[in-house]
Every structure is written in C-alpha cells, then in structure tokens.
C-alpha cells in the first residue's frame, strides 16, 4: 500500500513562531487531506489539497503532486494550535481508503 | 449544515458486552467510512459503506465486528463480545463522492473503553 511519512515527529514552538510540517507519500493520489487532532481527541479537517496551494487564516498548505509531498505552514502560532497534525492520502486505485501518516505532535508554549 | 455526528462520544463496556457506535453523515452525503485509532498504531481504515451496501470491509477484523448503513437512519458499527484490545477511538467520515472532490469529512469520534 501507499506509504505516508510525516516530519518532524515532534515540534516545540514558542508562541508567535512560524513552522513547516512535511508529508511525503510514495505514489500518485486523488486525495490529500490535513487534519488537526486537538487535545480532546477530535479530528478537525484543515485542508483538502491534492494539489496546489490553499490558505485559511494563519494556516496554509501546498501540495506538489508531481514530487509527492505536501507542506503545512503554521504562522504566528498560538497555544490553541497544540495537538497532532495528520496528513492522509488515498491510493490512486482505491480512492476512498485514506492512509494516515504517524503525525507531527506540535506543542506551542506561551 | 450540521457536520458528521457520532454518538455516544464516550462508551464504557465490560468485557463480553456489545458496543454499538452510531454515525449520522452530513446532509446530502451517501457514503460513510469508519476508521479506528488504536494507541500506538495510528488511524486505520476499517470499512466503506453506501446506503444498504458494504463496499469495502477489508480493514475490519474478521470476527465480532460488523457495520451497516440502512436506507433510513444512521450507520452503525457493532462490536460483539468486546475485549480490552478493542479500546480505541472510532471515527466516522462521510463524503458526497461527486466528481469534483474526494474529500472526507470526519466526525468527533467515539472513545470506547473496555474494562
């Protein structure tokens, strides 16, 4: 099956700092999504971004499908950004079965 | 437009009991997916259903687990004779599956604890 690798595994930030999270995937995809799992365990949809660039407030994401990676940018981080960020992709031949990366755990300190 | 709803949010069962997890997809969505998040194992696909049909259950354990999505009402994930290893967060997602997007919308999850 498709492999999804996220880096770094852990990230500690001071409030106000910027950061970049990376997701590499091993095959062509129809779907790439970024999620934030908050400290209460809820999965929050951040971006649906199989290609191109999107922005939503302080968050933005870019996917370069031809090179099989995606980046999630967090700017001016806040303590509420803490949690685990997951990248998930489908397989080209199985376009409903999302495979998740192991996640990046982000801790933002006041 | 209400999001994907799951209930209960927290469920405690003793070993050997049955657990029923419910998922109501977003309005207009006819495709439902279940995922499980086990400690130390990450999020894994379990099953994909359309109304009255199981499309792919390749991620479901072969025994004790079943899923349905009836013509009327929510999708149900049923776990019979629960064991401690079933303790996990179970997430449901839905999608419209139209030609323009493959995006899946996730619910808040049900946290199952087996004592």
């Amino acid at each position: 099956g498709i492999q999804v690798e996220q880096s770094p595994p852990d990230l500690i930030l001071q409030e106000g700092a910027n950061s970049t999270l990376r997701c590499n995937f091993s095959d062509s995809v129809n779907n790439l999504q970024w999620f934030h799992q908050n400290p209460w365990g809820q999965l929050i949809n951040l971006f649906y971004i199989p290609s191109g660039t999107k922005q939503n407030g302080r968050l933005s994401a870019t996917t370069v499908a031809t090179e099989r990676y995606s980046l999630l940018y967090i700017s001016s981080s806040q303590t509420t950004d803490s949690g685990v960020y997951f990248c998930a992709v489908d397989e080209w031949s199985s376009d409903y079965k999302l495979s998740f990366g192991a996640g990046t755990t982000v801790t933002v300190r006041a | 437009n209400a999001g994907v709803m799951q209930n209960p949010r927290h469920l405690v069962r003793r070993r050997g009991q049955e657990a029923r997890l419910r998922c109501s997809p977003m309005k207009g969505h006819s495709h439902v997916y279940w995922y499980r998040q086990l400690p130390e194992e990450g999020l894994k696909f379990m099953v994909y259903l359309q109304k009255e049909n199981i499309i792919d259950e390749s991620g479901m354990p072969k025994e004790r687990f079943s899923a349905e999505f009836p013509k009327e009402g929510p999708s149900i994930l049923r776990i019979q004779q629960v064991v401690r290893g079933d303790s996990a967060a179970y997430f449901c997602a839905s999608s419209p599956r139209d030609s323009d997007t493959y995006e899946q919308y996730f619910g808040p999850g049900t946290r199952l604890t087996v004592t």
Side-chain angles (χ1 to χ4, degrees):
Chain A
I2 195 166
Q3 303 301 311
V4 186
E5 294 183 356
Q6 291 187 243
S7 60
D10 299 282
L11 194 57
I12 299 176
L13 301 169
Q14 205 62 34
E15 201 169 26
N18 303 329
S19 63
T20 302
L21 283 59
R22 187 177 179 103
C23 172
N24 293 333
F25 45 98
S26 60
D27 206 346
S28 300
V29 299
N30 302 289
N31 181 356
L32 188 147
Q33 292 184 240
W34 282 98
F35 299 90
H36 175 214
Q37 188 165 36
N38 63 24
W40 296 271
Q42 293 180 312
L43 268 180
I44 311 298
N45 285 38
L46 296 178
F47 294 103
Y48 168 72
I49 187 165
S51 63
T53 298
K54 289 186 177 179
Q55 179 154 8
N56 184 2
R58 296 180 296 101
L59 300 180
S60 62
T62 295
T63 297
V64 183
T66 53
E67 298 187 22
R68 298 180 183 167
Y69 73 88
S70 183
L71 303 174
L72 177 70
Y73 306 97
I74 305 174
S75 64
S76 303
S77 58
Q78 300 177 358
T79 56
T80 52
D81 296 329
S82 295
V84 184
Y85 290 80
F86 291 103
C87 166
V89 302
D90 67 351
E91 297 188 26
W92 191 262
S93 59
S94 175
D95 60 5
Y96 51 82
K97 190 184 298 186
L98 288 179
S99 294
F100 284 77
T104 294
T105 300
V106 173
T107 303
V108 181
R109 293 179 173 164
Chain B
N1 188 6
V4 177
M5 300 179 70
Q6 292 188 246
N7 67 80
R9 296 290 308 279
H10 301 273
L11 183 61
V12 179
R13 285 288 178 265
R14 291 198 179 99
R15 279 177 295 170
Q17 291 184 320
E18 178 179 286
R20 284 191 179 225
L21 288 61
R22 294 173 183 78
C23 169
S24 295
M26 288 180 69
K27 187 176 180 180
H29 289 190
S30 58
H31 301 259
V32 166
Y33 318 83
W34 286 91
Y35 293 82
R36 179 166 67 170
Q37 187 176 32
L38 286 163
E40 310 303 325
E41 287 194 24
L43 280 144
K44 305 285 186 189
F45 168 84
M46 297 181 76
V47 62
Y48 164 35
L49 309 106
Q50 296 177 18
K51 287 281 187 181
E52 300 184 280
N53 284 305
I54 297 174
I55 307 302
D56 183 347
E57 56 182 349
S58 60
M60 292 265 279
K62 294 291 185 282
E63 297 178 351
R64 302 187 297 106
F65 284 72
S66 62
E68 62 177 8
F69 188 16
K71 187 176 179 181
E72 302 290 338
S75 175
I76 306 288
L77 180 67
R78 182 184 179 205
I79 311 172
Q80 295 178 290
Q81 299 177 320
V82 296
V83 301
R84 287 204 172 132
D86 297 332
S87 295
Y90 293 82
F91 291 93
C92 166
S94 72
S95 72
R97 294 281 294 178
D98 59 37
S99 59
D100 292 335
T101 179
Y102 295 87
E103 185 172 7
Q104 296 184 19
Y105 298 79
F106 278 70
T110 293
R111 272 140 200 88
L112 172 65
T113 302
V114 179
T115 61

